[in-house]
Amino acid sequence: MPKLTVDGIEVEVPAGATILQACEEAGKEIPRFCYHERLSIAGNCRMCLVEVKPGPPKPQASCALPAADGQEIRTDSAMVKKAREGVMEFLLINHPLDCPICDQGGECDLQDQSVAYGRGKSRYDENKRAVTEKYMGPVVKTVMTRCIQCTRCVRFAQEIAGVEEIGAIYRGENMQITSYLERAVTSELSGNIVDLCPVGALTSKPYAFEARPWELKKTLAIDVMDAVGSNIRIDSRGRQALRILPRVNDDVNEEWISDKSRHNVDGLVRRRLDRPFVRKDGKLVEASWNEAFQAIATATKGAGDKVAVVAGDMVDCETMFAAKQLAGTLGSTLLEGRQTGLDYDVSNLAAVNFNSTIAGIEEADAILIVVSNLRWEAPLINTRIRKAVKRGAKVFAIGPEVDLTYKVEWLGNDMGVLAKPPKPVTDAFAKAQKPALILGGGALKIPGVFGASLALTGPLGLIKDGWNGFNVVHMAAARMGGLMLGYAQQGGIADILKAEPKLSFFLGADEVDYSAFANSFNVYVGHHGDAGAHAADVILPGASYAEKHGTYVNTEGRVQRSEQAVFAPGDAREDWTIFRALADVIGVNIGFDDFAGLRAAMFAAVPALGAEGLAAYDWAPPKLDAKPKGEGAYPIKDFYLTNSICRASPTMQRCSAELLHGDDMLEAAE
């Protein structure tokens, strides 16, 4: 490990570290525009100049220079100061004076660094150049005259997203960043280039001119658009959430989120349920909370213990626990969270968990993907597998062929392959130190596939000391939490229908086949007027994930907490308060009176939910039918419209229409 001094401070850094990293280790701030910790080194902005001895008597780019033993680095010399001022002056030569109207204002690297490291005035009085605007799709707004050609967006598209649709044309001062043929960028991660852009060249199109950063309240939350559990920050003003940004969590989402996670925010204020409704004479009519509760209480008297609870995909653990407690006091255990009809065995949660962990899958050297379009089911797990492929991992896949953005050897779509994997697979797994199998959501409903995949743990060597390579990718944020709380019948939702429930509660469940519940009194507790609300006899308006505190468990069994950013609209209430008030009307005690009491009761019932971080599941997989048959199909047909919030979002509708269905979207000026 090389030892060197930075401004007289001696530091020791790992072999291969750059001088920039060594300076940061010494506590020195080095300005930069093109350098980013998660992207390859470009070395083209020249802002990170330092003085290095021994070496030529000139400033050198610290981001591209390896640290070596015995070096003396100066970050504060007169030479360095003058060099940085010169670089900043050149960067600002053609940059427009757009700060008052630029959406990047207040959180702009160029603003901050020009104040800290630039000259007080410019000596340039020629005409500034202008660049025509580029079109990059529904979520990225471009003002390319502001671009300083740092190429972060280009490197992100190529290295992280794996979609080579952004690049540079022309040379020198005439260089321009653009998308391929100026078409929309089709990556489901394209919104991240807005965060990466150090100036205002790339900004969020749906958020344009909405707010300044100092006006916003920032709330730490968990994304519910998929089961990855990405860490996000909700920025709100007043009673409205205005934007969603990623938070850094190296164990889960690093610092990226999908476009769906980022831009569903405008769906939070549209098509909302903001008052109770009761069905009278076949029509839903507005009612008071008391009227709605009385209608449910009346239905309860005739239902006995035939009460069912079906949880949707975005529900928090507290809501599911409160509903479970109410159903329990009525003598029912009819709970189910797999609303689309899945009925896989849940006797051992380790067998339905992403055991390699999301960060750990990067270390896998042989991977078999079974019926999973990871780009749509879990985009941020897909980026991890791209890293594994770059490190030399071989990836095999069974299912319909799709572009996963990395090299995949497809084995066809006949599930019989699992019974006897071909020789290239067995050879690759025999040599692998950390082999992994990834079972997708579409695979779990194909007869025999779950059992055949479990049976491969031995032949493929998936279980080793300190490594469990058997992984299931869920698509619902509520799935693992629901399984921990007992929201799973042996035969799935079919078992609930066999019990012929007289009263059914649907917790934001919009993907259920409601025709099967025609003989039940249906109560919908949710936040959007989607399919569930149309089929309900009583609607109780609840809160979305941005409007309540909640606990979520992601696909790897990681327990995380989300905070309340804004209040629910109108008469809508947090879901747990609805069940607490309903219990009083029915005349039962569900064991808690406030949110703290609810969480204490939930932690007592399921201790694993009480500790944040990875839950520990013992590996004891069930023995199941291991004779797979049939072909696979991916369950997600439209990535941008998978839930009620997205279906209410104009941005998500536009993404779906343009990026998936090829519709031409005209700008206002056109």
Side-chain angles (χ1 to χ4, degrees), residues 369-390:
I369 301 172
V370 183
V371 195
S372 181
N373 181 1
L374 286 169
R375 275 189 73 175
W376 283 8
E377 294 175 22
L380 296 168
I381 292 179
N382 201 54
T383 62
R384 302 278 190 168
I385 296 177
R386 268 185 63 79
K387 285 188 181 182
V389 171
K390 286 181 181 179

Side-chain angles (χ1 to χ4, degrees), residues 18 271 392 500 658:
T18 63
R271 302 185 191 174
E500 298 180 348
E658 182 172 358

